């Protein structure tokens, strides 16, 4: 059975982000993957011709899923296919590694290699691309500052400088042209069975409530 986790998501401003950075830095440890405290994320999201993933997110459908491929800091030597699933307000994620050539095949619509890949998640995406018409739709770039707290397996992230590409062809090109997708910053808090009081207090913001902000939805405003 997949491990489902709790998640809070808040849209915040620059002042909030600076305050949260200071508070979280005092009680959490930095993520070991974030050299210098942050890293750059590039994702390519998939959707159907009818925008099923986008519409289910906007409508708050209780059970939903989305596929994306992702790499970090412009390093295409490690690319992951991810399927994020939501159920009853909880989330889980399945992953599979891709080569740069396989990722480019997905961008270009070459799918025949997927069925014999030996990776169940790749094979699942293949069937959904064939049956549902899933295709790459939008590049989403952003900077992430991650913080971790061992009790409760807590991970807190501050995401900002969200940008989007106007097409999918440049996904593996770190220098492809992107444009700002608004000026929002996003606080995300994820945990397993319980959220420790020290973290709950650290992420409290006056007048903020959890909200279903989607970087994918924000970037689709500027794309196709």
């Amino acid at each position: 059975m997949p491990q489902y986790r709790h998640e809070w998501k808040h849209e915040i401003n620059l002042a909030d982000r600076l305050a949260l950075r200071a508070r979280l830095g005092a009680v959490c440890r930095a993520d070991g993957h974030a050299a210098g405290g942050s890293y750059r994320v590039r994702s390519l999201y998939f959707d159907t011709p009818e925008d099923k993933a986008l519409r289910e997110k906007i409508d708050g459908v209780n059970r939903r899923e989305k596929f994306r491929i992702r790499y970090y800091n412009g390093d295409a030597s490690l690319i992951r296919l991810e399927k994020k699933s939501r159920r009853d307000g909880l989330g889980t994620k399945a992953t599979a590694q891709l080569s740069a050539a396989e990722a480019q095949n997905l961008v270009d619509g070459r799918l025949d290699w997927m069925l014999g890949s030996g990776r169940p998640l790749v094979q699942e995406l293949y069937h959904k691309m064939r049956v549902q018409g899933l295709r790459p739709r939008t590049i989403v770039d952003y900077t992430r500052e991650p913080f971790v707290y061992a009790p409760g397996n807590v991970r807190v992230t501050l995401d900002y400088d969200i940008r989007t590409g106007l097409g999918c062809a440049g996904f593996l090109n770190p220098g492809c042209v992107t444009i700002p997708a608004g000026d929002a910053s996003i606080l995300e808090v994820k945990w397993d069975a319980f959220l420790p009081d020290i973290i709950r207090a650290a992420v409290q913001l006056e007048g903020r409530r959890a909200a279903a902000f989607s970087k994918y939805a924000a970037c689709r405003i500027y794309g196709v």
Side-chain angles (χ1 to χ4, degrees):
M1 290 289 293
Q3 175 64 50
Y4 280 85
R5 283 163 57 80
H6 299 267
E7 179 178 315
W8 280 351
K9 189 177 291 188
H10 303 259
E11 184 173 351
I12 58 176
N13 58 36
L14 176 58
D16 295 331
R17 175 156 52 90
L18 296 176
L20 287 164
R21 179 189 294 158
R23 290 185 214 162
L24 292 165
V27 299
C28 297
R29 65 177 177 84
D31 188 304
H33 296 97
S38 67
Y39 51 80
R40 194 73 183 163
V41 182
R42 169 164 289 181
S43 300
L44 178 61
Y45 284 82
F46 290 69
D47 214 335
T48 68
E50 299 79 25
D51 294 329
K52 179 175 182 287
L54 177 63
R55 293 180 183 279
E56 289 182 348
K57 175 65 176 181
I58 292 172
D59 293 342
V61 173
N62 185 46
R63 294 183 178 227
R64 61 184 188 268
E65 66 183 26
K66 62 185 175 187
F67 285 85
R68 68 191 180 202
I69 52 178
R70 169 173 287 190
Y71 65 101
Y72 303 89
N73 290 329
D75 180 8
S77 66
L78 179 59
I79 304 173
R80 290 190 178 95
L81 167 65
E82 300 181 344
K83 182 180 82 166
K84 290 200 69 178
S85 303
R86 296 281 293 176
R87 184 182 70 187
D88 301 326
L90 303 176
T92 190
K93 181 169 66 176
T95 66
Q97 191 165 332
L98 298 178
S99 69
E102 289 170 339
Q104 190 61 53
N105 281 338
L106 283 173
V107 172
D108 294 338
R110 294 190 292 267
L111 312 182
D112 290 345
W113 62 275
M114 300 173 72
L115 199 55
S117 68
R119 284 158 283 173
L121 188 61
V122 173
Q123 293 166 336
E124 180 182 350
L125 177 60
Y126 171 83
H127 286 294
K128 289 178 177 175
M129 292 181 80
R130 290 297 193 196
V131 174
Q132 298 180 8
L134 275 179
R135 288 295 183 271
R137 296 299 297 268
T138 302
I139 292 172
V140 178
D141 284 351
Y142 57 92
T143 297
R144 165 162 286 179
E145 294 182 25
F147 302 86
V148 293
Y149 190 78
N153 190 25
V154 178
R155 181 175 173 84
V156 183
T157 55
L158 305 175
D159 297 340
Y160 53 94
D161 189 20
I162 303 169
R163 303 179 66 88
T164 185
L166 296 180
C168 299
F171 174 67
L172 293 178
N173 175 12
C176 81
V177 175
T178 60
I179 61 171
D183 57 1
S185 295
I186 308 301
L187 163 68
E188 293 188 12
V189 187
K190 298 179 182 178
W191 70 96
D192 288 345
F194 70 99
L195 181 63
D197 288 343
I198 191 170
I199 300 299
R200 191 182 297 272
V203 299
Q204 286 298 318
L205 294 169
E206 188 69 27
R208 299 289 192 276
R209 294 185 178 180
F213 184 92
S214 167
K215 291 185 282 289
Y216 168 57
C219 288
R220 278 295 303 276
I221 294 171
Y222 301 88
V224 294

